[in-house]
Amino acid sequence: MNSIAVLGSANMDLVVRQSRLPRPGETIFGAGFSTVPGGKGLNQAVAAARLGGAVNFLGAVGADAYGSELRALMLAEGIRADGLATADAPTGTAHISVVDSGENSIVVVSGANAAVTTLSEVQRAAIAESAFLVMQCELPISVLVEGIAAAHAAGVFTVLTPAPVMPLPEGFLASVDLVVPNQIEAAELTGESDPVRAAEVLSADQTWAIVTLGSEGSVVAYDGEVLGLAPARPVTAVDTTAAGDTFVGALVARLAAGYVRGTAVTPDEMVEAVRFATVASSIAVTRAGATSSMPTRDEVEAILV
């Protein structure tokens, strides 16, 4: 199995379930509260590990109870944490409101994640020995730029979830091998409201782009051309919190299973990985929480048979 380095955020999610979002100045009652390990980086790492990937997590947590819980989770999931530093800041948190329809809104407090501004030598070594580098935008952009440079120097395939959307250096997106935004993020990045057109723009210059559309599936494009629309698997959603991260983790785990380092990913390989990831994310949205909702490889393969 090719290894997957995940350079990303690790948070504790503080989740409130409620009937609706409050109006400004309004107080309402919630129906439940839970703490669930999360952060886009950790979410993707857990998803990839459960779905068969050999994962090494690179990032930071605080010297606090939440940090200890996140380290314990990585150990339990079989995720290496050689590049997980302890920062002089609290562990990051995400404050999540989930309404009855399953939709959510999230406020992230970066905490220790904001301290990851440059790569350590341990982290550089972890990237160099991997086949894939997976990133998001919940760490400072400076370290993502370093990560891409280190990956390219070692012939490592790079994957970016551009969330949350923020100003990026000139040429940053074009330097990534695969970019996976949702429809809203793709529109913000390209100025194109049509997800097909957005995928074409994002995939220019021999980049893969997959624009996820929730219950409508995803658009797959490469080098400025759309390969097609991958349909979603119809389910009744309970909580969409980790759907996108499950999709990315599953996608990379599937690609890694048959990848030959330094070679190009073929359209057939990408389409098969998207099919696998679509099923994985469809399972996740039928369960509550972020990492707690993610399926195993056996669960996904049972549906694909």
Side-chain angles (χ1 to χ4, degrees), residues 19-270:
S19 60
R20 61 177 176 83
L21 296 177
R23 295 183 293 271
E26 180 186 21
T27 299
I28 65 173
F29 285 103
F33 173 78
S34 59
T35 58
V36 183
K40 295 192 73 63
L42 182 56
N43 287 346
Q44 293 179 4
V46 170
R50 286 191 189 165
L51 292 160
V55 181
N56 196 349
F57 188 83
L58 318 176
V61 294
D64 50 28
Y66 287 160
S68 296
E69 287 185 53
L70 298 185
R71 286 183 180 276
L73 171 71
M74 293 182 205
L75 179 64
E77 296 288 346
I79 298 170
R80 289 173 56 190
D82 305 352
L84 181 63
T86 300
D88 187 20
T91 297
T93 53
H95 305 256
I96 304 174
S97 297
V98 182
V99 298
D100 289 346
S101 67
E103 295 299 318
N104 65 76
S105 59
I106 305 173
V107 176
V108 174
V109 180
S110 294
N113 297 306
V116 188
T117 58
T118 188
L119 292 174
S120 68
E121 289 307 311
V122 171
Q123 292 167 340
R124 286 182 182 279
I127 292 171
E129 71 178 23
S130 299
F132 290 82
L133 172 63
V134 178
M135 301 167 294
Q136 318 77 35
C137 291
E138 289 185 341
L139 295 184
I141 294 299
S142 59
V143 77
L144 303 185
V145 171
E146 282 192 42
I148 290 173
H152 285 176
V156 176
F157 191 98
T158 55
V159 182
L160 176 72
T161 302
V165 173
M166 59 184 61
L168 298 171
E170 185 70 25
F172 182 83
L173 286 175
S175 69
V176 177
D177 295 304
L178 166 62
V179 58
V180 191
N182 64 27
Q183 184 172 358
I184 294 172
E185 293 154 359
E188 289 187 49
L189 289 166
T190 64
E192 300 285 351
S193 59
D194 178 0
V196 171
R197 178 58 186 147
E200 290 172 341
V201 172
L202 289 168
S203 67
D205 300 320
Q206 297 185 318
T207 296
W208 283 98
I210 300 173
V211 178
T212 58
L213 310 176
S215 61
E216 296 181 12
S218 58
V219 179
V220 183
Y222 177 71
D223 200 21
E225 295 186 10
V226 168
L227 276 65
L229 173 66
R233 175 175 172 257
V235 295
T236 300
V238 171
D239 183 356
T240 62
T241 301
D245 294 332
T246 301
F247 182 94
V248 173
L251 182 81
V252 177
R254 193 64 162 188
L255 288 174
Y259 183 68
V260 177
R261 181 167 165 162
T263 63
V265 172
T266 69
D268 285 347
E269 289 169 338
M270 187 62 75

